[in-house]
Amino acid sequence: MTERLDEQSLQDACQELARVVLAAGQPQVSNDILETLADRFFREVVDFAPGVARAGRDPNLLTRAVHYLNDAHALPLMGTDMEWFRQALVCLVELAVPGIALSEQGGAVLRDVQLGIEQSLGDLEG
């Protein structure tokens, strides 16, 4: 049975991401701008939920992906540009919920990613 997307947790993650890319070092950023960007992130992510669910996967992996992007790719003062977010999200979703048959050459990077994931998981546990 596939879980339901916890939209509140996703909204919270998107709000946190917006705060990092907009407000870090600039506390004067208006709440309107912050909420608008968080909503744009949310709408971008929630579009992936049906496909993730159809694949039989937990759609809450999308919230975890936003947290990952916040930790690993969001930089203060990135502003309202969404392209980096879209591209990174597409890549993460494809890695988590494969939907494309890869060539041997293209698929070879998966072992590299797997090693990196194992290293990161070891860092979390250690």
Side-chain angles (χ1 to χ4, degrees):
M1 180 173 165
T2 304
E3 293 184 38
R4 290 183 55 104
L5 177 63
D6 180 345
E7 290 190 9
Q8 185 59 56
S9 291
L10 178 57
Q11 287 175 337
D12 292 346
C14 290
Q15 186 84 17
E16 184 180 324
L17 179 61
R19 201 171 279 115
V20 168
V21 299
L22 284 179
Q26 289 198 2
Q28 69 274 14
V29 172
S30 79
N31 278 339
D32 287 345
I33 294 171
L34 191 71
E35 289 174 13
T36 298
L37 184 59
D39 184 60
R40 288 174 63 199
F41 287 143
F42 177 82
R43 285 185 280 122
E44 193 77 32
V45 176
V46 84
D47 284 347
F48 285 90
V52 170
R54 275 193 305 275
R57 301 293 302 279
D58 176 8
N60 293 296
L61 73 83
L62 297 167
T63 302
R64 295 187 289 274
V66 173
H67 285 295
Y68 171 82
L69 291 174
N70 195 17
D71 287 352
H73 297 283
L75 298 173
L77 308 179
M78 288 177 90
T80 59
D81 176 50
M82 294 286 294
E83 195 56 32
W84 72 272
F85 181 74
R86 284 185 193 107
Q87 295 303 320
L89 185 63
V90 166
C91 185
L92 283 175
V93 170
E94 180 59 33
L95 285 170
V97 185
I100 299 171
L102 300 173
S103 67
E104 188 174 323
Q105 295 88 349
V109 76
L110 295 176
R111 299 210 189 287
D112 300 315
V113 171
Q114 183 177 23
L115 287 172
I117 290 169
E118 290 169 5
Q119 178 182 351
S120 292
L121 288 172
D123 292 346
L124 285 175
E125 295 165 1

